[in-house]
Amino acid sequence: MNSENFISLGNKVLETELAAVQGLKQYLDQGFANACQAMFDCCGKVVVVGMGKSGHIGGKIAATLASTGTPAFFVHPGEASHGDLGMISEKDVVLAISNSGETGELLAIIPVIKRIGTPLIAMTGNPQSTLATLAEHHVCVKVEQEACPLGLAPTSSTTATLVMGDAIAVALLNARGFTADDFALSHPGGSLGKRLLLRLSDIMHTGDRLPVVSTDALIKDALVEMSEKGLGMTAVCAADGKLAGIFTDGDLRRILEGKVDIHSDNIVSVMTQTPTTAQAELLAAEALNVMEEKKINGLIVVDEHNQPVGALNLQDLLKSGVL
């Protein structure tokens, strides 16, 4: 088979699955709304169950729900019949996924779910199926055809189920007023979490690591301070501790082009008197935007009295994972 054949077959699969997803719009009905409301009102967790490919999709749906403000977890129906049903309580909601609605392992645990009193939501491709009729709420994910040319391998049907699961998760996210900060709390280890949670107070250099000289200092004193602290800059402070200016590697390059004596000239004569500063509570990602906009490599962090409390440079942002 040549490349054109592979590409042609790939296009047919995409077209079939795109049509399946488009067809889901007709099923965004009262059944969908009722299912969302049941999950929204749930005082416990959403327990997702499904066998085979539906189980794999169910695991992803449970993960998406859990990371967007709806506590959820996946239970394998086979394991549920051998003890894992103990994870389910009457405070939970069960979301059972089966394209046919006749999956034996699912139907086997329905009587126990009913006895516990746990509300049941079915997500199937057959509204007249056993599972659909036993459920309090039904979400239809029927597709016209599978992308598999044999009509056997779950393809369009699993894609439709996954997309409907995303629709439910996002609908609930909005209903709960779930924010980017909320999302970051459940993703603290990832780059997204760092961008949403990390503040300058978490990464800035403070105390003895903060480069600072007085307005009485000579240029050579500032250079020594910059060399020792290794941030490529130093804050320049007045007698009252307030920030008077900043001296950076860029300032040094500029003065070397002129007639300046680093051993006798005062730092005030060459410093930048109106430096860009930031507050400690500023998000590191926002600080990066400021630095890129101002085309600067470092920031002095000041308190409400304009006294330096920290400093950082682009290298610190790179180490933190924000950059």
Side-chain angles (χ1 to χ4, degrees):
M1 183 174 288
N2 59 38
S3 297
E4 290 184 0
N5 288 333
F6 281 123
I7 294 171
S8 176
L9 289 170
N11 278 322
K12 288 181 180 179
V13 170
L14 294 182
E15 289 170 2
T16 302
E17 298 207 5
L18 282 170
V21 171
Q22 287 286 347
L24 289 179
K25 291 181 180 180
Q26 63 186 304
Y27 304 128
L28 295 176
D29 52 15
Q30 193 59 46
F32 173 85
N34 291 341
C36 290
Q37 189 66 52
M39 295 185 209
F40 183 79
D41 294 336
C42 178
C43 297
K45 293 179 172 59
V46 175
V47 184
V48 185
V49 294
M51 279 295 296
K53 302 301 186 293
S54 292
H56 294 303
I57 298 300
K60 192 275 179 184
I61 291 174
T64 300
L65 288 168
S67 68
T68 53
T70 300
F73 62 93
F74 177 79
V75 173
H76 190 283
E79 298 296 333
S81 295
H82 295 276
D84 282 2
L85 273 172
M87 299 179 181
I88 305 174
S89 75
E90 70 279 0
K91 293 182 179 180
D92 300 324
V93 169
V94 171
L95 173 60
I97 303 173
S98 168
N99 186 45
S100 68
E102 304 294 343
T103 305
E105 292 87 349
L106 279 180
L107 297 180
I109 63 175
I110 299 304
V112 181
I113 293 173
K114 291 289 187 178
R115 183 173 180 180
I116 295 172
T118 307
L120 176 63
I121 300 169
M123 186 181 291
T124 80
N126 183 2
Q128 284 74 48
S129 63
T130 303
L131 181 60
T133 55
L134 288 173
E136 282 83 5
H137 310 292
H138 179 250
V139 179
C140 188
V141 287
K142 183 178 179 180
V143 299
E144 291 302 318
Q145 66 179 104
E146 297 286 6
C148 167
L150 301 176
L152 299 174
T155 45
S156 299
S157 58
T158 49
T159 298
T161 303
L162 181 62
V163 170
M164 189 64 84
D166 286 342
I168 290 172
V170 173
L172 291 171
L173 177 154
N174 280 281
R176 297 183 192 281
F178 195 77
T179 66
D181 286 342
D182 295 324
F183 188 85
L185 289 174
S186 60
H187 298 75
S191 59
L192 179 59
K194 289 180 180 179
R195 290 186 66 86
L196 294 175
L197 288 177
L198 201 67
R199 300 186 184 276
L200 295 190
S201 57
D202 299 316
I203 59 175
M204 67 186 188
H205 298 263
T206 61
D208 293 338
R209 298 187 301 155
L210 171 61
V212 59
V213 296
S214 71
T215 50
D216 296 330
L218 300 177
I219 297 175
K220 70 177 183 66
D221 299 322
L223 293 177
V224 170
E225 182 73 356
M226 290 167 62
S227 178
E228 290 181 350
K229 303 302 170 60
L231 293 183
M233 63 182 175
T234 182
V236 182
C237 291
D240 59 3
K242 293 184 178 181
L243 184 67
I246 186 175
F247 186 72
T248 69
D249 285 338
D251 293 322
L252 175 61
R253 287 191 293 272
R254 282 188 290 274
I255 67 171
L256 289 178
E257 297 174 356
K259 297 179 180 180
V260 175
D261 187 341
I262 65 172
H263 298 284
S264 61
D265 288 347
N266 188 276
I267 190 62
V268 172
S269 64
V270 294
M271 71 181 185
T272 298
Q273 297 185 7
T274 56
T276 300
T277 60
Q279 300 293 311
E281 63 271 16
L282 184 71
L283 289 173
E286 293 177 329
L288 176 59
N289 292 336
V290 170
M291 294 166 73
E292 289 178 339
E293 180 182 343
K294 300 289 186 179
K295 294 181 173 57
I296 56 178
N297 295 321
L299 274 177
I300 299 296
V301 182
V302 297
D303 62 14
E304 64 274 17
H305 304 296
N306 200 38
Q307 295 181 337
V309 293
L312 73 154
N313 59 17
L314 285 174
Q315 189 67 25
D316 296 312
L317 293 173
L318 178 62
K319 291 178 181 178
S320 72
V322 173
L323 183 58

